[in-house]
Amino acid sequence: MPTARGDARGPRLPVLLAALCDRLPVDRILALESVLKTVGDPDDPVLSRFIRAQPAAGLAGQLVEITHAWRTEASGITGAGLALALATSRSLPRTTSPQVVVSGPASASLPVRLTSGVAVEVVRSARTSLLIASFAAHGALDVVEEIDRAVGRGVQVDLVLEESTRASTAFAALPEEVRLWHRTGAAGVMHAKFLAADRHTALLGSANLTDRALSDNIELGVVLRDPATVEPLVDHFRWLLSPEHGLMRVQARGGAEGRRR
């Protein structure tokens, strides 16, 4: 169970609600709030079914602990009342602590999230720019479709890819304004894997943008939501892409290599 904002020595329910808000994206919290508004008490079968249906490692246990605290500390509160408390917690500033992300088998040892869902969430959070690096890419249609949506809302997208793996083919259907970058030199490879939304959120880890890496392989990563940490990472890659250094070139859409930019 993650450490939440507040004093854990007092009532547990507020602490547990804050921890849940620190863990989950807003859309998942809103889904829980919608369910809570329809239930009368912590033993309602509707809530029990919702908890059992949660696939993220440790999340069902976290929700069970919340229902236990609800039952023992605030049994007079209705589900609608708890939804209001959750909405209040959601409105407070979110934690900037790194969150663990995994692919493959997920244990209950850590409050982790799955790489596939987090990658989509990070892309979806971009409003002005999206910087993505991957050694290999194949499939990952959910991520590719979310990138396409980002372009549609005016986000500038740069994909930094390893040419030898033909990673660019996974993004062939994206609009022409998406820039695909490759190294200009022969020494070494582009082996980094990360997604950065604007300058506020980044996903770093071992997973490439492939179906197996996002879901089946045993992969590990972290989500950073601290701009003070994310900004230097983005600046480093912007430096790599800058024309005066000649380290990267833009691939002309259609397969031929474009001029150095």
Side-chain angles (χ1 to χ4, degrees):
M1 182 66 61
T3 301
R5 298 158 287 175
D7 187 352
R9 293 172 297 180
R12 289 286 294 159
L13 186 56
V15 175
L16 294 171
L17 294 177
L20 191 69
C21 288
D22 285 342
R23 174 183 184 179
L24 296 181
V26 172
D27 60 331
R28 300 281 296 280
I29 297 295
L30 290 173
L32 175 58
E33 290 175 15
S34 296
V35 171
L36 288 172
K37 290 175 183 178
T38 69
V39 305
D41 58 61
D43 298 309
D44 193 299
V46 172
L47 180 58
S48 298
R49 287 194 294 271
F50 177 83
I51 291 173
R52 289 196 299 270
Q54 300 309 303
L59 179 56
Q62 195 171 354
L63 293 174
V64 166
E65 190 167 357
I66 287 173
T67 60
H68 176 73
W70 180 13
R71 187 181 302 111
T72 57
E73 297 177 1
S75 59
I77 297 179
T78 64
L82 192 64
L84 179 60
L86 188 59
T88 301
S89 183
R90 170 170 53 81
S91 70
L92 297 175
R94 305 291 293 271
T95 181
T96 57
S97 300
Q99 292 182 316
V100 177
V101 179
V102 302
S103 300
S107 72
S109 301
L110 291 171
V112 298
R113 298 184 58 206
L114 299 180
T115 308
S116 54
V118 173
V120 168
E121 177 193 328
V122 172
V123 174
R124 188 176 294 158
S125 71
R127 292 295 174 265
T128 60
S129 65
L130 190 61
L131 185 58
I132 299 175
S134 189
F135 172 73
H138 182 269
L141 294 181
D142 287 347
V143 176
V144 175
E145 289 173 0
E146 202 61 49
I147 294 173
D148 188 44
R149 294 188 187 98
V151 175
R153 61 177 180 269
V155 175
Q156 174 61 58
V157 179
D158 290 284
L159 304 178
V160 186
L161 307 169
E162 170 54 34
E163 188 173 15
S164 67
T165 65
R166 300 180 60 84
S168 61
T169 59
F171 308 101
L174 291 175
E176 291 186 357
E177 54 261 48
V178 174
R179 297 185 294 189
L180 310 178
W181 298 84
H182 300 303
R183 289 193 60 179
T184 57
V189 296
M190 205 306 299
H191 204 251
K193 299 103 174 177
F194 87 105
L195 294 83
D198 303 331
R199 299 170 64 82
H200 56 70
T201 304
L203 167 61
L204 289 78
S206 61
N208 287 301
L209 289 179
T210 68
D211 292 330
R212 291 181 62 183
L214 293 175
S215 300
D216 300 326
N217 293 351
I218 295 178
E219 308 278 1
L220 184 64
V222 292
V223 180
L224 306 174
R225 291 190 174 87
D226 181 6
T229 304
V230 174
E231 288 178 359
L233 295 172
V234 173
D235 288 341
H236 173 67
F237 268 82
R238 293 298 178 193
W239 178 86
L240 291 173
L241 302 182
S242 61
E244 62 267 27
H245 299 126
L247 299 173
M248 295 282 179
R249 67 181 184 274
V250 173
Q251 175 181 310
R253 303 309 294 272
E257 290 299 328
R259 56 187 172 84
R260 293 186 183 183
R261 299 177 63 172

